[in-house]
Amino acid sequence: MKTFKKIIEFLNRMKEIDLWGDKMEDLSYKEEEYIHRVSTQNPYGLIGLILGGIAFTFGPQYGFIPVITLIFCIVTLFTFDKEKEDNPWPFYLGILLSLIGFCMFIIGATHHLIL
């Protein structure tokens, strides 16, 4: 359990990193204050939703993709903060899409994609 808590703490710290370093550049104090006050979207939820779509699309052929996506979505669901972030649904949809892809892999169903 300690390891799981450390992983969640690490993921929460990673959400705050500004990769390009210009997030707060040229903003007034009131604008910065407003940005910190407004609800945001959890980046792991968006990643989980995209991975869920990939798991739904390619999961019936490759069974490991939905499993990895399901694990990712469930672990990162614990990084959701109700006070700072506004929408847990990308996590739920990512879990649902990966479960559908995994169930399709188990029963042997496939998509008929137009490529």
Side-chain angles (χ1 to χ4, degrees), residues 54-84:
I54 293 170
F56 176 75
T57 306
F58 299 109
Q61 290 86 17
Y62 308 104
F64 67 91
I65 297 173
V67 173
I68 292 171
T69 302
L70 187 64
I71 292 169
F72 176 80
C73 288
I74 290 173
V75 168
T76 57
L77 178 63
F78 293 101
T79 64
F80 181 73
D81 185 8
K82 292 180 183 178
E83 295 172 5
K84 293 181 183 177

